[in-house]
């Protein structure tokens, strides 16, 4: 007969705990996917927006003082360092991107650019108008420079890749008014090599939750299984006829009540078996005297019958 596999209770409880945590993690993952499906721009309000802004602020000094035709070449080392594809998008100039730009990304970039003076008959917003250069700042005066870049959008392109747009406000060049341009960043995955979305904190957070859950539940489950082993040992002793069992003291829970019931049952069985033995001993003692007298009388009768038979002969 094939022997069935034995799984300890501790392993079963821990397996159910791990399965429960995995289901929670899967539910959270599906929820995040659903949220991201509604729009990736919500990530810009967090650390992703800070990273894109910092990257834009790093790119700007490399572009200042160069002609538009030199912008992409100037920012390539920074893009390669971040392991993304980056280039400047300006609908008023014809700059080639290292890869084809999906139409939905082009449309989003055009819509994100603020209008300049003379476009659509509207003046530019105040933050994009030409300002005279500020007076020189003294060495002991704190800096009050305004951010020169800000994230505009994060979306998935028609090509299946992920695209981010960062608004860059360039200073005037050769007497021309300053104008904003869009720095486009492309990555094949949502994380964008850590630029768009960083999965590592979520991964380490999940591992930490799993470790804390195991550390929290293991002592509790271990105490239950250890007490069950004591109960099993006590039951085996009772089945073998050894009724003097002792179980560790436990609180007033179900297992504690069960242990006290087992001890009480063992004590009562010990008394019953002892009483049965006493009863059998007393009954045997009471039966021995009559049986002895009967045996004696039968011996005497047998002797007399033997003597009478010899007389008749």
């Amino acid at each position: 007969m094939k022997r069935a596999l034995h799984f300890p209770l501790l392993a079963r409880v821990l397996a159910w705990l791990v399965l429960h945590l995995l289901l929670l993690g899967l539910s959270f993952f599906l929820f995040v996917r659903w949220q991201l499906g509604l729009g990736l721009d919500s990530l810009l309000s967090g650390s992703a927006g800070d990273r894109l802004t910092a990257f834009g602020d790093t790119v700007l000094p490399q572009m200042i003082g160069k002609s538009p035709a030199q912008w992409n070449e100037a920012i390539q080392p920074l893009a390669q360092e971040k392991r993304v594809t980056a280039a400047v998008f300006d609908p008023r100039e014809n700059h080639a991107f290292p890869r084809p730009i999906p139409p939905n990304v082009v449309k989003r970039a055009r819509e994100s650019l603020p209008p300049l003076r003379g476009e659509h008959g509207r003046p530019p917003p105040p933050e994009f108008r030409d300002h005279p250069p500020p007076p020189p700042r003294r060495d002991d005066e704190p800096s009050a420079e305004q951010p020169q870049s800000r994230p505009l959008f994060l979306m998935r392109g028609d090509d299946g890749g992920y695209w981010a747009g960062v608004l860059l406000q360039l200073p005037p060049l050769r007497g021309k008014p300053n104008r904003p341009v869009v720095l486009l960043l492309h990555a094949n995955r949502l994380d964008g090599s850590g630029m768009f979305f960083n999965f590592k904190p979520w991964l380490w957070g999940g591992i930490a939750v799993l470790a804390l859950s195991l550390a929290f539940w293991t002592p509790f489950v271990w105490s239950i299984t250890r007490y069950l082993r004591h109960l099993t040992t006590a039951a085996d002793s009772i089945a073998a006829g050894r009724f003097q069992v002792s179980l560790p003291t436990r609180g007033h829970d179900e297992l504690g009540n069960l242990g006290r019931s087992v001890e009480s049952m063992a004590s009562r069985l010990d008394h019953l078996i002892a009483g049965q033995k006493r009863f059998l001993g007393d009954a045997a003692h009471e039966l021995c005297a009559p049986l002895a007298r009967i045996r004696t009388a039968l011996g005497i009768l047998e002797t007399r019958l033997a003597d009478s038979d010899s007389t008749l002969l």
Side-chain angles (χ1 to χ4, degrees), residues 93-105:
E93 300 286 346
N94 186 16
H95 303 312
F97 199 77
R99 61 180 297 124
I101 306 177
N104 62 332
V105 178

Side-chain angles (χ1 to χ4, degrees), residues 47-253:
S47 58
D50 297 336
R51 289 190 292 269
L52 292 175
T53 301
F55 184 74
D57 292 341
T58 306
V59 165
L60 268 175
Q62 305 298 325
M63 299 170 56
I64 294 176
K66 296 181 176 62
S67 64
Q70 298 174 330
W71 286 345
N72 290 340
E73 181 181 356
I75 66 177
Q76 285 310 308
L78 298 176
Q80 293 175 0
E81 181 182 351
K82 297 296 184 179
R83 292 178 294 177
V84 295
T85 305
V88 177
F89 174 80
D90 187 353
R92 293 167 289 269
E93 300 286 346
N94 186 16
H95 303 312
F97 199 77
R99 61 180 297 124
I101 306 177
N104 62 332
V105 178
V106 174
K107 180 181 178 182
R108 185 70 182 276
R110 291 180 182 273
E111 294 174 350
S112 301
L113 281 172
L116 295 177
R117 185 183 302 275
E119 292 186 351
H120 309 294
R122 294 179 299 175
E127 63 268 22
F128 297 109
R129 295 174 186 170
D130 297 339
H131 294 281
R137 183 173 55 88
R138 299 192 307 270
D139 294 338
D140 58 347
E141 182 180 358
S143 175
E145 296 180 357
Q146 298 296 325
Q148 299 297 316
S149 62
R150 63 181 176 88
L152 292 175
F153 60 85
L154 178 61
M155 60 182 297
R156 188 169 186 178
D158 295 334
D159 59 347
Y162 293 90
W163 296 77
V166 181
L167 182 67
L168 302 180
Q169 181 65 36
L170 295 169
L173 178 64
R174 297 175 183 175
K176 296 181 180 180
N178 57 351
R179 60 183 183 186
V181 294
V182 176
L183 175 66
L184 289 180
L185 293 91
H186 171 267
N188 294 324
R189 301 180 306 177
L190 175 60
D191 60 345
S193 300
M195 285 286 293
F196 302 161
F197 188 80
N198 192 0
F199 289 101
K200 289 184 179 180
W202 298 96
L203 177 61
W204 289 113
I207 294 176
V209 169
L210 176 61
L212 290 176
S213 300
L214 293 177
F216 180 79
W217 281 97
T218 299
F220 173 71
V221 177
W222 177 257
S223 66
I224 292 178
T225 55
R226 182 176 58 182
Y227 197 78
L228 288 177
R229 285 196 298 271
H230 289 304
L231 289 175
T232 302
T233 303
D236 293 339
S237 298
I238 293 173
R242 300 186 297 270
F243 303 106
Q244 302 299 327
V245 296
S246 178
L247 293 172
T249 304
R250 190 176 173 87
H252 296 281
D253 56 1

